[in-house]
Amino acid sequence: MTFPESRQQMAMPISRAKLEALRKIIIDIEGFPFCSLESDAYYYHLNDYQHLLIQLQRLAAPLLSETNANRLNSLDYREYPTETRAEVEVLLFDIKEAIDTQEIKN
């Protein structure tokens, strides 16, 4: 039986503290308020979301397959906000699965 690529090619384990930090970032991303591009609030929140995305990239990439890590690391919310948000939502499923797998290994 073969598993999807997200379960294959797992990288080195990360610490429990990093896993907890990653879970917090996921919660923050999932609950992040989004505004329309025309709104002044959009530009106010742009840096906050980009910061969360950078933290997600830093902590989650070691847990993902090379393909998914590359997808995650190529995202830039400043250039493509709508597409980036959609891609992050797709990748969050794999990231959560990788966290669960890592916690079982720990």
Side-chain angles (χ1 to χ4, degrees), residues 57-82:
Q57 291 166 335
R58 182 178 65 84
L59 292 171
L63 294 175
L64 298 173
S65 67
E66 185 176 344
T67 303
N68 282 343
N70 288 338
R71 284 173 53 200
L72 178 62
N73 288 330
S74 69
L75 298 177
D76 185 353
Y77 187 69
R78 294 174 187 270
E79 289 189 36
Y80 308 104
T82 306

Side-chain angles (χ1 to χ4, degrees), residues 17-46:
K18 286 184 179 180
L19 287 174
E20 289 304 316
L22 182 54
R23 282 194 185 278
K24 183 181 181 324
I25 289 167
I26 290 170
I27 291 168
D28 290 347
I29 285 178
E30 289 177 332
F32 196 84
F34 284 94
C35 306
S36 71
L37 296 176
E38 296 80 27
S39 166
D40 289 337
Y42 168 77
Y43 294 102
Y44 177 76
H45 292 297
L46 182 66

Side-chain angles (χ1 to χ4, degrees), residues 5 9 19 31 41-42 44 47 50 53 57-58 62 67 73 77-78 81-84 86 93-94 96 99 101 106:
E5 186 175 325
Q9 306 168 354
L19 287 174
Y42 168 77
Y44 177 76
N47 288 333
Q50 186 66 23
L53 182 58
Q57 291 166 335
R58 182 178 65 84
T67 303
N73 288 330
Y77 187 69
R78 294 174 187 270
T82 306
E83 295 86 355
T84 298
F93 177 79
D94 289 330
K96 289 177 187 178
I99 290 171
T101 301
N106 287 348

